[in-house]
Amino acid sequence: MVEIEKIQSFAISNDPKDASGCGIFGIFNTKGDLIDGNKIVSAIDIMRDRGNGLGSGYAAYGIYPEFKNYYALHLMIDDDLAKRAVEDFLERRVMVAERSGIPTRGMKNRKRPMFFVYFVLPRAQGTKAESEYMSETDADEFINKLVFFINENINGAFVISSGKNMGVFKGIGYPDEIANFFRIERYKAYCWTAHNRFPTNTPGWWGGAHPFGLLDWTVVHNGEISSYGANKRYLEMHGYKCTQKTDTEAIVYLADLIVRKHKIPIELLAKIFSAPLWEEIERMPQDQKKLYKALRIIYGRALLNGPFSILLTFKGGIMALNDRIKLRPLVVGKKDGVYYFSSEEAAIKHICSDIKDISSPDAGEPVIARLTDEAYNVYYGVQDEED
């Protein structure tokens, strides 16, 4: 794993920050029209006082159209030795269609790793023929395990994101600093999310900043998940390893387990994460009562306790969700097929001044936006039934 960089000098400030004050922002165009990176930077940067300079990042979907059928592995690498180890491992395990450095600018007085992107496909087991590849279901599981292996076993290397036609860009700094470093203005995406601050209860280091990603999932999160211990133990029973020691990482893995592996719809995932209280379930109609009781019994250890608002992104969609008593802010706006998600209404109006449809979702009630079928086909090909 990449060496954790404890930057204590940035934690010492004459302007103390509220520990509960993360900033999150998201933009999603349901028609698939591309959104300039400058817009998401402008929106998250207006909430600068919610951060502390110890972490920020962006997730972007639709940025690699020329390699849309390949897994885009974004890697953070400490040195040439770790790079050689990663590339030797990948050459043995996958077909690498393209590799390159992720374009960056310099950062003054800041130690930083190197960043690379590898576009890969897993070969069918037992063959090296370039024309024989795994099914998407098998390939997702293969990449899942590959990511965990690299993060746990290759010293000095860390996979930031691993989905198709998407990528995560994150590190230590304020939103404008990270955007400048990764040249976010050069990217256009149909979906953007952004975060300001660093993960709860963990040191500020480049890999620990939000968003957290696995396959096509990413999450940005404001708040604290007090159920992390129970969530972590539940995930470990199913083969996941929480190497980052942060509550946010567990949200990504729970989504992958429950939706991708267990085939539970994203709408019900929200009711697992932010489950109704037992007294509320007892007042439901019989069919609903039976369903929600079953969810609480089967997925009780996937319940997210504590104050939170999250933006969970996936292939072709995004879900915004509060905790079940709404202890963290979340505002949603909509105009002309574009959804805006924010910790503060001011950030939405900053980039869309004439927006009228703005609301604050009820506690535990998800807001989900998806690409139209036509737009989905452009970015990912024909939509499978399970998607």
Side-chain angles (χ1 to χ4, degrees):
M1 187 189 302
V2 174
E3 181 183 357
I4 293 179
E5 180 185 359
K6 296 180 179 179
I7 50 171
Q8 297 174 348
S9 60
F10 285 90
I12 300 172
S13 172
N14 294 324
D15 181 22
K17 300 298 179 182
D18 181 356
S20 66
C22 302
I24 62 175
F25 197 90
I27 316 175
F28 188 93
N29 191 310
T30 59
K31 300 174 185 176
D33 295 338
L34 296 175
I35 303 158
D36 190 278
N38 284 319
K39 184 167 286 190
I40 188 73
V41 177
S42 178
I44 192 66
D45 196 47
I46 202 172
M47 296 186 285
R48 187 182 183 89
D49 60 345
R50 283 182 166 271
N52 55 9
L54 292 177
S56 183
Y58 304 87
Y61 288 73
I63 58 174
Y64 296 128
E66 67 275 30
F67 293 104
K68 68 180 182 180
N69 295 320
Y70 295 82
Y71 295 88
L73 304 182
H74 277 204
L75 272 100
M76 174 188 309
I77 296 177
D78 276 349
D79 51 40
D80 289 337
L81 183 63
K83 183 173 183 286
R84 285 196 298 272
V86 166
E87 294 188 347
D88 287 346
F89 175 73
L90 291 178
E91 289 290 348
R92 295 195 306 270
R93 305 294 290 164
V94 295
M95 190 277 285
V96 180
E98 184 71 31
R99 72 193 76 192
S100 68
I102 294 176
T104 59
R105 295 187 178 98
M107 293 184 78
K108 292 183 179 179
N109 304 319
R110 192 73 57 87
K111 181 182 177 181
R112 59 189 184 277
M114 302 180 289
F115 293 87
F116 299 89
V117 57
Y118 299 83
F119 297 99
V120 308
L121 278 180
R123 295 188 181 93
Q125 194 169 10
T127 179
K128 294 185 178 180
E130 292 191 1
S131 60
E132 297 181 30
Y133 299 109
M134 295 180 183
S135 67
E136 184 168 9
T137 299
D138 291 340
D140 281 349
E141 184 62 18
F142 184 94
I143 294 296
N144 182 327
K145 292 177 179 177
L146 179 143
V147 168
F148 281 102
F149 182 90
I150 292 175
N151 290 350
E152 187 178 10
N153 295 287
I154 300 184
N155 187 42
F158 180 73
V159 182
I160 306 169
S161 60
S162 50
K164 291 183 177 180
N165 207 357
M166 57 81 67
V168 168
F169 309 86
K170 63 181 184 177
I172 294 175
Y174 281 103
D176 59 324
E177 295 174 319
I178 297 302
N180 182 67
F181 176 70
F182 283 109
R183 301 172 63 183
I184 294 297
E185 79 281 351
R186 72 190 291 271
Y187 296 96
K188 296 180 185 294
Y190 71 80
C191 172
W192 286 98
T193 60
H195 187 267
N196 186 8
R197 203 175 164 269
F198 68 115
T200 309
N201 299 332
T202 56
W205 71 290
W206 281 80
H210 296 217
F212 285 90
L214 178 68
L215 295 173
D216 297 297
W217 302 101
T218 71
V219 66
V220 291
H221 165 213
N222 173 19
E224 182 172 1
I225 306 301
S226 58
S227 58
Y228 170 70
N231 300 148
K232 176 177 178 288
R233 288 190 292 272
Y234 177 67
L235 286 164
E236 288 172 344
M237 289 172 55
H238 293 275
Y240 291 82
K241 296 183 179 180
C242 296
T243 57
Q244 302 312 295
K245 316 299 183 186
T246 174
D247 50 0
T248 309
E249 179 189 32
I251 300 173
V252 176
Y253 301 161
L254 287 168
D256 185 64
L257 171 66
I258 295 168
V259 178
R260 181 177 67 85
K261 292 188 176 183
H262 294 180
K263 310 299 183 187
I264 300 295
I266 196 82
E267 290 82 2
L268 290 184
L269 176 70
K271 298 304 182 182
I272 293 170
F273 280 173
S274 193
L277 300 172
W278 281 111
E279 60 191 41
E280 295 173 336
I281 294 175
E282 288 300 324
R283 295 194 297 267
M284 292 178 177
Q286 192 60 36
D287 287 349
Q288 276 189 300
K289 183 189 297 186
K290 185 177 179 180
L291 170 63
Y292 285 105
K293 277 188 174 181
L295 290 176
R296 288 298 305 270
I297 292 169
I298 297 169
Y299 291 109
R301 283 176 290 180
L303 169 71
L304 303 181
N305 269 326
F308 68 84
S309 56
I310 63 172
L311 297 180
L312 177 69
T313 46
F314 51 96
K315 185 167 67 174
I318 185 170
M319 179 178 75
L321 183 68
N322 267 128
D323 62 82
R324 55 185 177 171
I325 51 177
K326 201 171 177 64
L327 294 172
R328 286 294 180 268
L330 180 63
V331 182
V332 179
K334 184 181 179 183
K335 185 176 187 293
D336 298 332
V338 181
Y339 283 79
Y340 302 86
F341 307 89
S342 181
S343 296
E344 298 179 9
E345 183 176 331
I348 296 176
K349 290 187 173 180
H350 177 66
I351 62 171
C352 187
S353 59
D354 59 346
I355 193 168
K356 305 296 183 184
D357 185 356
I358 296 183
S359 62
S360 183
D362 292 338
E365 290 300 320
V367 177
I368 300 171
R370 287 186 171 91
L371 290 175
T372 64
D373 289 345
E374 182 179 0
Y376 187 99
N377 292 341
V378 168
Y379 288 105
Y380 301 107
V382 178
Q383 188 164 1
D384 297 329
E385 288 186 9
E386 67 184 54
D387 291 333

